[in-house]
């Protein structure tokens, strides 16, 4: 079946611009997670959703980062006023319920020039 | 979540078994041991997980020490496709939620 998909696969933007990264989870999965991965490091948790609500956003680095999941399926991670330090691979994962195995998408590579 | 310690890198020859160690001396009674791996330019993928007993699946085996302070992921016959970063992660699966990834072990497989 279809796995987690993320679009775009690559995004290049200029410092100060706004970007949106999209995640399509596996159908029927209620939990959705966003992670960020810098070069040579393991993924770092940002936020997770249980249904439509953000159950834990403690990993968001600052208020420039925001994520939504309005219908409990697709999620969008939004970054305002991008900075060069935001450059990373942004990973999305979903699971049937929060205690279940997480399935990851291929990630979106964000480059801020 | 309790912390895990893994070697930074390991090497193996193709078609030989590989034993990837993980130390987790501060593991709590409700923490499950999860292993994920990340192939180049891909997201992490699930390998195996367990609580107390050894576990086997089509990808690997997980051997858990009796005191649960360490575990070993076993790939029975390494292939070139197994070259990846392997992450050992603890999570209280009674509550679930996010994983806390460390730097993992980078496995190289030599032909």
């Amino acid at each position: 079946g279809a796995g987690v998909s993320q679009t775009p696969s690559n995004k290049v933007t200029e410092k100060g611009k706004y970007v949106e990264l999209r995640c399509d989870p596996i159908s029927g999965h209620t939990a959705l997670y966003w992670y960020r991965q810098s070069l040579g490091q393991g993924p770092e948790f940002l936020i997770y959703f249980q249904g439509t609500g953000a159950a834990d956003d403690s990993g968001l680095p600052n208020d420039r980062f925001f994520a939504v999941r309005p219908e409990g399926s697709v999620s969008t991670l939004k970054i305002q006023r991008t900075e060069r330090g935001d450059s990373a691979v942004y990973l999305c994962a979903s699971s049937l319920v929060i205690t279940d195995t997480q399935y990851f998408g291929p990630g979106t590579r964000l480059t801020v020039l | 979540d309790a912390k895990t310690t893994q070697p930074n890198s390991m090497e193996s020859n193709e078609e030989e078994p590989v034993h990837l160690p993980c130390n987790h001396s501060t593991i709590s009674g409700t923490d499950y041991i999860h292993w994920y791996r990340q192939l180049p330019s891909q997201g992490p993928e699930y390998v195996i997980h367990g609580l107390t007993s050894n576990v086997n699946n089509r990808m690997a085996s997980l051997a858990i020490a009796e005191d649960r302070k360490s575990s070993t992921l076993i790939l029975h016959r390494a292939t070139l496709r197994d070259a990846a970063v392997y992450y050992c992660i603890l999570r209280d699966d009674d509550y679930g939620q996010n994983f806390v990834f460390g730097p993992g072990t980078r496995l190289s497989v030599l032909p």
Side-chain angles (χ1 to χ4, degrees):
Chain A
V4 177
S5 63
Q6 293 186 245
T7 53
S9 54
N10 278 286
K11 176 71 177 178
V12 180
T13 191
E14 293 179 345
K15 180 175 178 296
K17 299 287 189 184
Y18 168 83
V19 296
E20 290 190 352
L21 311 179
R22 176 187 168 109
C23 172
D24 282 81
I26 293 172
S27 178
H29 279 195
T30 63
L32 185 147
Y33 306 79
W34 284 98
Y35 294 83
R36 178 169 73 172
Q37 186 170 27
S38 300
L39 196 62
Q41 298 182 21
E44 172 193 23
F45 168 72
L46 295 176
I47 183 172
Y48 94 89
F49 290 86
Q50 179 63 35
T52 60
D56 183 355
D57 64 358
S58 62
L60 295 178
N62 51 60
D63 61 6
R64 295 186 297 105
F65 288 74
F66 190 70
V68 295
R69 195 186 185 200
E71 297 178 357
S73 177
V74 171
S75 176
T76 305
L77 178 65
K78 308 180 182 200
I79 311 175
Q80 298 178 321
R81 305 182 305 280
T82 52
E83 299 177 356
R84 292 196 181 87
D86 299 334
S87 297
V89 174
Y90 289 81
L91 294 162
C92 175
S94 71
S95 61
L96 194 59
V97 293
I98 63 169
T99 54
D100 203 5
T101 297
Q102 292 181 20
Y103 297 88
F104 284 79
T108 293
R109 180 175 299 278
L110 175 67
T111 303
V112 182
L113 301 177
Chain B
D1 292 308
K3 196 177 163 99
T4 64
T5 305
Q6 299 177 253
N8 291 334
S9 62
M10 290 184 66
E11 256 185 19
S12 171
N13 294 317
E14 199 176 8
E15 298 189 5
E16 290 188 357
V18 182
H19 291 232
L20 296 163
C22 181
N23 287 317
H24 29 79
S25 59
T26 59
I27 190 170
S28 73
T30 51
D31 282 336
Y32 281 71
I33 302 159
H34 293 258
W35 284 83
Y36 277 72
R37 73 180 185 181
Q38 189 170 21
L39 302 170
S41 301
Q42 296 187 27
E45 67 173 347
Y46 169 79
V47 177
I48 201 166
H49 78 290
L51 182 62
T52 56
S53 305
N54 294 345
V55 184
N56 300 294
N57 66 21
R58 65 174 180 80
M59 287 180 73
S61 296
L62 176 59
I64 301 172
E66 198 169 332
D67 63 5
R68 299 209 327 125
K69 293 184 186 299
S70 66
S71 60
T72 302
L73 178 70
I74 302 165
L75 307 179
H76 296 286
R77 282 179 76 242
T79 69
L80 296 178
R81 196 197 171 276
D82 292 321
V85 178
Y86 287 78
Y87 299 101
C88 168
I89 310 161
L90 303 182
R91 188 180 74 169
D92 185 341
D93 281 5
D94 286 347
Y95 295 97
Q97 300 183 12
N98 58 285
F99 288 117
V100 179
F101 287 83
T105 296
R106 181 173 297 278
L107 175 67
S108 301
V109 180
L110 307 177

